[in-house]
Amino acid sequence: MKLAWIASIGLLLAGNAGAQEGGKAITKTTISLGTATPGGGFPVYGGAFAEIMNAADPALSIEPRNTKGSNENIPLLESGQLDIALVAGEPAYEAFMGIGRAPTKLKILTAMYSSPGMFVVRADSPYKTIRDLVGQPVAFGAKGSGLPILSRYILDGIGLKQDEDFKSIYLDRAGDGPAMVQDGRAAALWGAGIGWPGFATMAQAPGGARFIAPDAGEIARVRAKHTFLKPLTVPANSYPNQPAAIDSIGSWSFVLARESLPDDVAYRLARTLHGAETALCKKLPQACETTAANTIAAAPNAELIHPGVMKYFREVGVVK
């Protein structure tokens, strides 16, 4: 990472913009937003989030930046090099709970969307269950992203070890996964969520694709061991040629904020975001889950939500 780039991000800046409103120059607040590697769901969400937010509040300038994903976004936020960032549920949970590290002091700005995890294979492949994939090369997602952490928890819950029972592949770019499955370098691609680009690419490819999720018994075993994971469903027709709903398990991804993000800025972001929920939903289907109510429901506890956001939630009656 170049020093010049590091110096340019993560600081909440205010400057004079060239835009005019009522004959007066607008003073813009510039906010850096960390996403992930190209080809994954986070850059898509981050782009839509910034576009809608910037349109809803002309004095905001949210600037998405590609990163290596959740595992890089957390330390960048903690060091003040990013203002807000997208973080998958499992890395967020581990950071909040202090698993393998000291508990983080980062705060939740909003829940993004639920992430039911599953594999995708070519429709003409012989694989029908997770155990059919044992011993096969599987692309588990981009290095540094939350996807390999989610799969590790789920596989552990059903008695499998990701790096011993599979020939695990970790990608430099999230977008590289579908091609590896299509040309046979990988038997399956792991992913999560509704509208995830890797799943869409596979489903739209010639010959189509088939999804493999934990069955009911496996979901029960995972939940018994890893209680923070929740049953989630991919609705029918979320992807081409997917006529039936798919039950799985997963978590919620979050937009996290650095601890030092001022309360008034977090309040303003929450007010702008939830005032534009309908527009964001129209822009990106999976962002329809980005709501104030879902943020309250998805947060491990309310104290993890930024105080500025909580102030807004109390004003609008989402919390008492």
Side-chain angles (χ1 to χ4, degrees):
M1 189 180 301
K2 297 182 179 178
L3 291 178
W5 183 81
I6 293 175
S8 70
I9 69 170
L11 300 177
L12 190 63
L13 302 175
N16 290 326
Q20 300 285 320
E21 187 175 80
K24 297 180 181 180
I26 302 172
T27 299
K28 286 202 173 188
T29 299
T30 301
I31 297 174
S32 54
L33 166 64
T35 61
T37 61
F42 275 13
V44 174
Y45 181 95
F49 179 93
E51 180 181 333
I52 295 302
M53 292 283 281
N54 292 342
D57 184 347
L60 277 178
S61 179
I62 297 176
E63 298 181 349
R65 302 181 188 278
N66 290 124
T67 67
K68 294 178 181 179
S70 299
N71 286 341
E72 183 179 42
N73 288 345
I74 290 172
L76 287 175
L77 286 168
E78 290 175 325
S79 62
Q81 296 180 60
L82 288 171
D83 296 315
I84 59 177
L86 313 184
V87 178
E90 290 68 41
Y93 173 79
E94 292 182 347
F96 286 136
M97 298 298 110
I99 298 174
R101 48 156 296 151
T104 190
K105 295 182 180 179
L106 301 179
K107 296 296 183 182
I108 295 170
L109 184 73
T110 185
M112 291 168 52
Y113 47 68
S114 59
S115 298
M118 55 187 184
F119 295 93
V120 64
V121 299
R122 287 173 34 170
D124 62 358
S125 79
Y127 312 111
K128 302 291 179 64
T129 70
I130 292 176
R131 290 193 177 274
D132 288 343
L133 293 170
V134 169
Q136 300 301 319
V138 176
F140 281 104
K143 301 171 185 175
S145 78
L147 285 174
I149 301 176
L150 172 60
S151 55
R152 189 167 279 111
Y153 274 111
I154 291 177
L155 292 172
D156 176 73
I158 60 178
L160 295 172
K161 295 184 178 180
Q162 186 161 297
D163 295 321
E164 295 180 19
D165 292 317
F166 304 86
K167 297 174 183 176
S168 301
I169 301 169
Y170 300 102
L171 307 170
D172 292 322
R173 289 166 45 96
D176 294 340
M180 298 185 73
V181 178
Q182 289 162 2
D183 66 18
R185 285 176 289 165
L189 171 65
W190 170 261
I194 300 164
W196 191 62
F199 287 162
T201 299
M202 285 292 299
Q204 293 165 0
R210 180 170 59 252
F211 294 100
I212 300 174
D215 62 29
E218 290 169 335
I219 289 173
R221 290 177 63 190
V222 174
R223 292 196 68 206
K225 187 168 185 178
H226 301 299
T227 56
F228 71 95
L229 294 175
K230 302 176 181 179
L232 299 169
T233 299
V234 179
N237 301 310
S238 293
Y239 296 99
N241 301 310
Q242 181 233 322
I246 302 171
D247 292 327
S248 188
I249 195 168
S251 64
W252 284 79
S253 296
F254 297 101
V255 181
L256 298 187
R258 57 183 171 90
E259 182 192 12
S260 57
L261 188 74
D263 287 1
D264 62 328
V265 175
Y267 173 90
R268 179 177 166 192
L269 289 170
R271 182 184 62 191
T272 302
L273 173 62
H274 297 298
E277 284 180 4
T278 300
L280 184 57
C281 178
K282 289 180 179 178
K283 180 70 178 178
L284 190 68
Q286 54 267 47
C288 293
E289 292 186 302
T290 304
T291 67
N294 281 341
T295 298
I296 295 297
N301 66 68
E303 292 180 358
L304 297 175
I305 300 174
H306 196 291
V309 176
M310 289 297 288
K311 178 184 177 183
Y312 172 77
F313 285 174
R314 291 188 186 98
E315 287 184 1
V316 298
V318 177
V319 294
K320 295 182 179 179

